[in-house]
Amino acid sequence: MVLSDGVSPVLGTLCAYSRAAGAFSEVTADLLQQARHLAAVAIEHHRLKDSLAYQAQHDALTGLPNRILFNTRLERAVQQAEDTHIPAALALIDLDDFKVINDVHGNQVGDEVLQEITRRLLRLTRWSDTLARVGGDEFTVVLPHTHQEEAETILRQMLQSITAPILVGEQELLISASIGISMLTNGAGDVTHLQRHADLAMQSAKTHKAGIAFYQPKMNRQAAERMHLAQYLRRAVELGELELHYQPQVNLVDGTLSGMEALLRWRHPLLGPVAPLRFIPVAEETGLIVPIGEWVLREACRQAAVWRGQGYETLRMAVNVSVLQFERDGFVQMVAQVLEDTGLYPQALELELTESAVMRNVEESARRMKQLRSLGVSLAVDDFGTGYSSLSYLSRLPLNVLKIDRSFVTHLHQDSSALPVVRAIISLAHNLGLTTIAEGIETQQECDLLRELGCHQGQGYLIARPLPALEALPPQKRLFLPREYRQ
Ligand code: C2E
Ligand code: MG
Ligand code: MG
């Protein structure tokens, strides 16, 4: 008996036999009906088995292979690479901040985005490649018979296809991703190793905002180092190993002190001083930045209240806030509580947020920023110009200050390529009614040019390095002032 369901024909055969000769010589209609019924049951059973097997190996939302099927394909690719001596590539694709899409736009939109990304990625896969979805926002792809350069080209195209705007209903969404790649060459290790390598490379791409990273052996070492740092860091607050240094921010026209930026320092008894750029990412990954950030805020506010009491009445204290802190429920209440506990005048506190922190979810950021502003606190965007700020969003955020990133200030001179950028940032800030602070001023030339361009305030080694509270005030060097002000 042959039945066809339009896609995959299913063949069911019913055999009946009898020991007695001639028993089937007369097949009654009734018997035939029973036989048909039995065959239909058998076919249904077979279909169910097929569909269960399919479901066990595929992802329901996208129809892509899931981790189980992918692992089988990966094992085959590893074997092929060993047999043929032609490498293959394994890539892990992780969507950045996908949770925000789900939280803000709902799971339905999240699902549509995943389906659209799947379609885009499938267009770029060759028939021998396997693309799979292995987690909520994680895809993985194995590219058999592929050398490193070719893998890079394909994966860059995949990255571009993900970052192109996605239209869901009326909304245009922008998604970014981080891709880690490990090459399957002879002796590169078993499947578990390769997957771990791709994962390390993906984390490195994420940390360095590089988009794509190939696994390198040093990443193993770095991962181990980060784990150790995290262990030490866990106890740093209670052991009193953290300290704040303060860097003055001055008015570029008359040199008066306008504020201080609190910068975190960690001195471990064995490791010695650890640079913030090394330990802050670890603190963010582990969530430790939340208690540490609260400690920083409390300590900086306490110090600011002391200085203001000593006669620096207009001094503002700038404190860096990590995105993890900013997005936490209860952040605004925590700030209010710290202000109350330390008795600092709220107008004296300025919170520095990075561009990417604010832009992750503009509506929610704007809401939270308004609450902070209503406490009296002012808000700065740190490292401005390095992220992907959309200018239209910028005007909708209740900001006070733009901090021009050090990378534009370094080597700033009349014919440097950074000059037009700095000029544009300053004019943008003027139009939006924002104060500009240039970071990392190291030379008199940079300082003079920034002043001419109309930048309000500056901060950098030329004026003063970050120093412990007892040495930070008043900033000693007057060199940065225009000639007529120098003593
Ligand atoms: P940032 O907030 O942009 O701070 C400015 C960084 O530039 C500081 O580095 C400062 O020491 C350095 N700097 C200032 N003037 C100059 C200069 O003239 N030349 C050069 N080459 N560098 C200059 P630092 O202290 O190493 O901090 C690095 C980053 O770590 C900070 O960048 C900030 O993003 C983060 N950070 C520091 N303290 C905290 C904190 O308490 N909480 C959080 N979440 N992040 C922090
Ligand atoms: Mg800062
Ligand atoms: Mg900065």
Side-chain angles (χ1 to χ4, degrees):
M1 191 180 297
V2 178
L3 292 179
S4 167
D5 62 1
V7 184
S8 53
V10 180
L11 177 67
T13 310
L14 182 74
C15 298
Y17 63 92
S18 167
R19 286 206 190 120
F24 286 103
S25 54
E26 270 181 45
V27 176
T28 62
D30 197 26
L31 193 62
L32 196 62
Q33 183 57 32
Q34 277 183 32
R36 281 214 175 98
H37 179 68
L38 282 174
V41 169
I43 287 168
E44 202 42 52
H45 177 72
H46 182 80
R47 272 217 192 104
L48 198 67
K49 241 174 62 194
D50 259 11
S51 122
L52 285 179
Y54 181 87
Q55 281 170 29
Q57 297 197 317
H58 290 81
D59 161 47
L61 180 69
T62 58
L64 291 176
N66 64 11
R67 191 184 287 281
I68 298 171
L69 180 55
F70 184 78
N71 282 352
T72 317
R73 304 265 174 94
L74 178 59
E75 269 166 26
R76 196 188 302 155
V78 171
Q79 194 56 50
Q80 272 175 357
E82 298 225 330
D83 295 345
T84 58
H85 298 275
I86 303 174
L90 166 68
L92 192 62
I93 306 174
D94 189 87
L95 306 182
D96 300 332
D97 301 328
F98 190 71
K99 194 178 160 294
V100 177
I101 299 271
N102 271 332
D103 289 352
V104 177
H105 303 280
N107 289 345
Q108 167 98 28
V109 171
D111 286 354
E112 285 181 41
V113 168
L114 289 170
Q115 286 166 334
E116 173 60 18
I117 289 177
T118 303
R119 279 191 288 274
R120 294 181 183 186
L121 292 178
L122 280 175
R123 256 176 249 140
L124 293 164
T125 47
R126 302 161 303 182
W127 72 270
S128 56
D129 303 337
T130 302
L131 173 72
R133 177 164 172 246
V134 291
D137 55 0
E138 256 184 25
F139 294 84
T140 180
V141 56
V142 62
L143 312 169
H145 296 129
T146 308
H147 288 274
Q148 179 155 342
E149 301 73 41
E150 200 182 349
E152 180 163 355
T153 311
I154 295 174
L155 288 157
R156 282 208 186 280
Q157 285 169 349
M158 289 192 169
L159 185 63
Q160 271 174 12
S161 82
I162 295 173
T163 52
I166 296 178
L167 205 64
V168 179
E170 302 276 281
Q171 313 181 67
E172 200 181 76
L173 300 172
L174 288 176
I175 310 271
S176 62
S178 305
I179 303 185
I181 309 159
S182 82
M183 292 303 297
L184 284 54
T185 45
N186 257 350
D190 59 17
V191 168
T192 321
H193 266 95
L194 293 165
Q195 285 178 323
R196 184 176 147 67
H197 291 172
D199 193 42
L200 282 173
M202 187 277 288
Q203 283 169 25
S204 163
K206 220 180 247 304
T207 311
H208 298 106
K209 299 192 169 56
I212 278 188
F214 279 89
Y215 167 75
Q216 292 165 12
K218 71 171 186 201
M219 289 173 182
N220 261 326
R221 221 176 42 242
Q222 286 164 345
E225 187 193 283
R226 289 160 96 87
M227 217 179 68
H228 282 122
L229 278 188
Q231 275 166 3
Y232 290 136
L233 199 53
R234 207 151 268 141
R235 305 204 50 208
V237 176
E238 51 191 277
L239 294 177
E241 292 168 5
L242 297 179
E243 190 189 344
L244 291 184
H245 281 190
Y246 299 91
Q247 189 176 37
Q249 299 175 330
V250 297
N251 180 317
L252 282 183
V253 177
D254 60 14
T256 49
L257 180 73
S258 39
M260 283 285 190
E261 179 175 2
L263 292 160
L264 188 55
R265 297 292 177 258
W266 177 26
R267 190 181 293 278
H268 184 267
L270 296 175
L271 303 171
V274 188
L277 292 179
R278 253 179 84 203
F279 75 82
I280 284 174
V282 176
E284 286 180 332
E285 271 164 34
T286 51
L288 285 169
I289 195 69
V290 173
I292 292 178
E294 183 169 341
W295 177 86
V296 169
L297 184 70
R298 198 168 280 279
E299 181 57 19
C301 288
R302 190 195 60 76
Q303 184 61 57
V306 170
W307 277 331
R308 286 172 71 93
Q310 288 172 350
Y312 294 97
E313 283 147 12
T314 54
L315 185 131
R316 221 174 354 91
M317 178 62 77
V319 178
N320 294 284
V321 172
S322 146
V323 58
L324 225 71
Q325 292 174 272
F326 178 63
E327 284 183 353
R328 248 177 105 87
D329 287 337
F331 176 68
V332 180
Q333 289 89 314
M334 188 274 282
V335 174
Q337 188 64 49
V338 169
L339 286 168
E340 194 186 316
D341 295 348
T342 56
L344 182 67
Y345 180 56
Q347 273 73 7
L349 178 63
E350 182 167 289
L351 298 178
E352 294 191 4
L353 300 159
T354 56
E355 227 176 333
S356 49
V358 177
M359 293 300 156
R360 255 157 74 128
N361 179 356
V362 178
E363 300 306 324
E364 179 56 28
S365 296
R367 201 177 61 78
R368 201 153 284 204
M369 290 165 87
K370 282 193 192 104
Q371 294 173 341
L372 288 166
R373 285 294 301 274
S374 66
L375 294 179
V377 170
S378 57
L379 299 169
V381 177
D382 204 352
D383 306 337
F384 186 76
T386 55
Y388 52 90
S389 282
S390 149
L391 298 183
S392 62
Y393 285 143
L394 207 58
S395 63
R396 283 163 43 202
L397 295 172
L399 284 167
N400 307 82
V401 174
L402 284 192
K403 294 194 75 179
I404 305 171
D405 190 62
R406 172 154 64 88
S407 57
F408 302 114
V409 174
T410 308
H411 312 304
L412 190 67
H413 50 81
Q414 281 301 348
D415 36 48
S416 75
S417 56
L419 184 66
V421 181
V422 174
R423 185 177 281 131
I425 295 177
I426 292 173
S427 110
L428 171 78
H430 280 215
N431 288 333
L432 294 174
L434 306 178
T435 302
T436 41
I437 305 184
E439 306 184 288
I441 305 178
E442 292 186 357
T443 68
Q444 188 67 49
Q445 194 183 24
E446 289 158 9
C447 186
D448 292 340
L449 200 51
L450 283 159
R451 184 186 298 119
E452 276 166 38
L453 291 171
C455 180
H456 302 110
Q457 296 175 23
Q459 172 183 356
Y461 293 170
L462 175 74
I463 301 146
R465 286 183 176 255
L467 288 168
L470 285 175
E471 301 159 45
L473 272 179
Q476 299 297 322
K477 292 189 206 155
R478 316 286 300 171
L479 265 177
F480 61 89
L481 285 171
R483 195 153 316 216
E484 63 272 22
Y485 282 94
R486 285 181 215 159
Q487 294 130 0

